[in-house]
Amino acid sequence: MKGPLFYSKILLFGEYGIIKDSKGLSIPYNFYNGALKTDENPSQDAMKSNESLKGFVSYLKDIDANLVTFDIDTLQKDVDAGMYFDSSIPQGYGVGSSGALVAAIYDKYAYNKITVLENLTREKLLKLKEIFSEMESFFHGKSSGLDPLNSYLSIPILINSKDNIEATGIPAQQTEGKGAVFLLDSGIIGETAPMVRIFMENMKQEGFRSMLKDQFIKHTDACVDDFLKGDIKSLFKNTKQLSKVVLNHFKPMIPKQFHELWKKGIETNEYYLKLCGSGGGGYILGFTEDIETAKQSLQDYKLEVVYNF
């Protein structure tokens, strides 16, 4: 048995901000994917994934039936038969590993599911997001539901606010372009829950709250608008400001050994770094107007281009 593929995602803008109603823009990233599978001779990883699925099934049994219902008997039978999630998506890297799994389970086992082929009204998108948020909370403690939504629909999603999301188009990539968005591998696995806890603690301070509103959210919203409009000049100006705000106010989310590298990008304008997901490790997102210069500057690191301007 092998189910359909579900892809990883990249939240280009909006990490942390979307908790407090900033805009956000999330795009599918087809480089990584995962699918539900059963094998005759499962590997160690497959058995580990199957164990995790057992816990997930128990969790789904108790999910609010008014929200979503599953064919639990078939799901239980498949998991007992050794079904697992075969995934190339790195875990703890901010590219949506649990999101793809949630999307795959919903796709295969949910009753009356909302499908990609329907006319996706805002109500349907919000309903899906709510379902996925409940489902993914099993893995994260608190989930916005956006990662599974992106993985399930495999289209860019624009978050205007908590209860206003829409499918969107993004400007076509310029394959010849020198500008790029890239992923930088920190080589460390990040955990979402502790990072979100630090953020929530900080939110208790008024100074942090006003910084979030007046700086972080302001620049995040501007970046989303610039990106969608294709205004590259303004995008880099705002990304630089955003990179500064993150370095000054989100230090615990940036692995220590990247603090200097982060600062160097801002000072030289060769690249600007920002968090990818909750931070603490995993990938760091980079924006550059000249990818060759950035590659030179970051030659000691593993770098993957995800979008060309």
Side-chain angles (χ1 to χ4, degrees), residues 41-294:
N41 300 305
S43 64
Q44 282 301 114
D45 282 349
M47 293 196 280
K48 207 168 123 191
S49 166
N50 175 258
E51 271 310 306
S52 162
L53 276 179
K54 284 178 183 161
F56 193 35
V57 176
S58 307
Y59 174 81
L60 293 179
K61 282 179 183 164
D62 296 330
I63 220 163
D64 182 358
N66 294 318
L67 186 62
V68 59
T69 51
F70 297 95
D71 181 353
I72 288 286
D73 294 345
T74 309
L75 173 56
Q76 186 71 64
K77 211 163 69 212
D78 290 346
V79 170
D80 290 345
M83 183 175 77
Y84 67 99
F85 192 58
D86 181 26
S87 168
S88 65
I89 307 170
Q91 289 187 348
Y93 262 69
V95 285
S97 52
S98 58
L101 165 59
V102 165
I105 295 284
Y106 176 82
D107 180 64
K108 193 166 164 56
Y109 299 100
Y111 286 123
N112 309 319
K113 68 179 183 186
I114 295 166
T115 71
V116 190
L117 305 170
E118 294 172 40
N119 172 21
L120 287 167
T121 59
R122 204 166 96 194
E123 283 66 38
K124 284 179 183 169
L125 281 172
L126 284 172
K127 175 82 189 214
L128 269 175
K129 182 174 173 286
E130 192 188 352
I131 290 167
F132 290 148
S133 164
E134 264 315 295
M135 289 175 73
E136 202 184 29
S137 293
F138 171 76
F139 300 97
H140 284 328
K142 184 170 173 22
S143 154
S144 69
L146 275 172
D147 288 5
L149 186 65
N150 206 294
S151 187
Y152 182 63
L153 300 174
S154 222
I155 46 179
I157 291 169
L158 170 63
I159 303 107
N160 292 304
S161 65
K162 264 198 205 58
D163 41 19
N164 181 354
I165 54 175
E166 56 186 300
T168 187
I170 57 174
Q173 294 206 50
Q174 309 295 325
T175 34
E176 299 303 304
K178 284 167 74 171
V181 181
F182 59 87
L183 290 175
L184 196 65
D185 189 344
S186 73
I188 308 160
I189 289 177
E191 278 193 59
T192 302
M195 294 295 127
V196 174
R197 269 202 303 276
I198 293 171
F199 175 76
M200 288 310 194
E201 270 305 304
N202 288 344
M203 282 301 288
K204 291 175 183 169
Q205 301 158 24
E206 197 181 329
F208 187 85
R209 286 202 302 276
S210 49
M211 173 282 301
L212 198 75
K213 187 163 127 292
D214 302 336
Q215 296 176 48
F216 188 79
I217 290 178
K218 186 181 106 180
H219 296 306
T220 296
D221 288 359
C223 284
V224 172
D225 293 340
D226 291 341
F227 188 89
L228 292 177
K229 283 201 303 245
D231 186 342
I232 303 309
K233 203 170 160 229
S234 182
L235 173 68
F236 279 99
K237 207 174 86 204
N238 281 304
T239 306
K240 179 176 185 172
Q241 294 308 321
L242 192 56
S243 186
K244 275 187 192 166
V245 172
V246 173
L247 183 60
N248 291 333
H249 301 282
F250 288 79
K251 272 238 169 64
M253 285 74 168
I254 305 171
K256 274 199 180 58
Q257 59 272 51
F258 287 90
H259 290 182
E260 278 309 308
L261 205 65
W262 201 287
K263 205 164 115 203
K264 183 184 153 199
I266 294 166
E267 285 167 358
T268 61
N269 295 315
E270 287 172 351
Y271 56 85
Y272 305 126
L273 300 179
K274 64 182 290 297
L275 297 173
C276 179
S278 54
Y283 284 120
I284 292 167
L285 255 178
F287 286 72
T288 178
E289 290 186 81
D290 186 340
I291 187 63
E292 291 315 315
T293 308

